[in-house]
Amino acid sequence: MSTPPIEPSAYKEHRLHPLALRIMHWINAIAIFIMIGSGWKIYNDDVIFGFLHFPDSIVIGKWAQYGLQWHFFGMWIFVLNGLVYLSYGFATGRFRQRLFPISVREVLATAGDALRFRLSHDDLTHYNAVQKILYLGVMLIGILIVISGLALWKPVQFSELAGLFGSFQTIRLVHFLCMSAIVAFILIHVTLALLVPKSLVAMLTGGPVVNDGAAEIKATH
């Protein structure tokens, strides 16, 4: 049975990045900035890798205790904002529309274009396979960094979570690696935003007007 056509009245036009999404994006950016800077201060007090020490000029918090206070402050913003963002993405269907489907063929083709520096970012309304994987990946890493952070913060109260990692040192390593992955994502994200300035402008203004009905038709063909 064929799918009945979508009536023009059913089309819903809106900005590429609705206001609620833009607010959550910039709140998340502030929270991550606070968490990374304060996390580096906490790390410096008990390093994992002897060769790595973050300069005092880029950490947040004069003393370790101040670093912890800033970290908890950023953590609650990150967690609460993240829960709202995930709920919004699922409830509005944005994740389904923007991040799926992902085909192996598309991933290989897009990766090849990226390696040859031929990756196009002109169409802001469409994510290529590499972008889809990056966004999905960073969301999963965000969940993992929260889980490992809770296990570090309250290893007794969250003993079930701590038990998933084995030792306390493993939890610290996982938390650190998640932070490193998020920093790498930010560097890529910011670089692409600088290479394609209209993507940054779109996150400030909302970007072009898109049509959900048209997107649905395109997705089914």
Side-chain angles (χ1 to χ4, degrees), residues 17-21 24 82-95:
H17 303 308
L19 179 59
L21 186 76
M24 287 184 282
L83 289 173
V84 174
Y85 173 75
L86 291 175
S87 300
Y88 176 89
F90 284 115
T92 61
R94 186 177 179 86
F95 291 159

Side-chain angles (χ1 to χ4, degrees), residues 188-201:
I188 295 172
H189 190 59
V190 171
T191 299
L192 292 177
L194 294 176
L195 291 174
V196 188
K198 63 181 180 180
S199 64
L200 177 59
V201 174

Side-chain angles (χ1 to χ4, degrees), residues 14-33:
H14 56 80
R15 290 287 183 180
L16 175 63
H17 303 308
L19 179 59
L21 186 76
R22 281 177 274 152
I23 292 174
M24 287 184 282
H25 175 276
W26 293 112
I27 288 176
N28 195 57
I30 294 171
I32 288 177
F33 173 80

Side-chain angles (χ1 to χ4, degrees), residues 10-216:
Y11 294 169
K12 184 179 179 182
E13 292 187 344
H14 56 80
R15 290 287 183 180
L16 175 63
H17 303 308
L19 179 59
L21 186 76
R22 281 177 274 152
I23 292 174
M24 287 184 282
H25 175 276
W26 293 112
I27 288 176
N28 195 57
I30 294 171
I32 288 177
F33 173 80
I34 293 172
M35 291 185 68
I36 289 175
S38 58
W40 286 346
K41 176 62 181 176
I42 297 167
Y43 170 91
N44 282 348
D45 255 30
D46 188 11
V47 300
I48 298 175
F49 306 104
F51 61 87
L52 179 60
H53 186 94
F54 296 100
D56 290 340
S57 57
I58 63 172
V59 303
I60 296 177
K62 185 175 181 181
W63 310 106
Q65 183 60 35
Y66 294 160
L68 281 169
Q69 291 173 351
W70 275 108
H71 205 64
F72 292 144
F73 174 66
M75 177 193 74
W76 286 116
I77 298 175
F78 179 77
V79 170
L80 295 176
N81 188 66
L83 289 173
V84 174
Y85 173 75
L86 291 175
S87 300
Y88 176 89
F90 284 115
T92 61
R94 186 177 179 86
F95 291 159
R96 175 179 57 81
Q97 294 170 4
R98 303 278 286 165
L99 302 178
F100 295 97
I102 303 176
S103 67
V104 175
R105 182 186 215 180
E106 184 187 9
V107 170
L108 294 176
T110 308
D113 290 340
L115 292 174
R116 293 192 296 271
F117 299 100
R118 295 178 183 173
L119 200 57
S120 175
H121 302 282
D122 295 333
D123 185 3
L124 297 181
T125 65
H126 174 73
Y127 287 157
N128 59 51
V130 169
Q131 287 174 302
K132 292 177 182 178
I133 290 175
L134 283 174
Y135 286 126
L136 287 171
V138 80
M139 281 192 279
L140 293 175
I141 290 170
I143 294 171
L144 181 56
I145 202 170
V146 170
I147 292 173
S148 59
L150 290 173
L152 280 176
W153 178 35
K154 300 283 188 179
V156 176
Q157 290 86 340
F158 294 105
S159 57
E160 292 84 0
L161 294 180
L164 296 175
F165 301 95
S167 68
F168 188 79
Q169 194 65 12
T170 300
I171 303 174
R172 291 190 65 215
L173 180 60
V174 169
H175 199 67
F176 180 88
L177 293 177
C178 285
M179 178 276 297
S180 301
I182 290 175
V183 170
F185 171 82
I186 292 172
L187 291 175
I188 295 172
H189 190 59
V190 171
T191 299
L192 292 177
L194 294 176
L195 291 174
V196 188
K198 63 181 180 180
S199 64
L200 177 59
V201 174
M203 191 50 73
L204 293 169
T205 64
V209 174
V210 295
N211 190 307
D212 282 347
E216 290 292 336

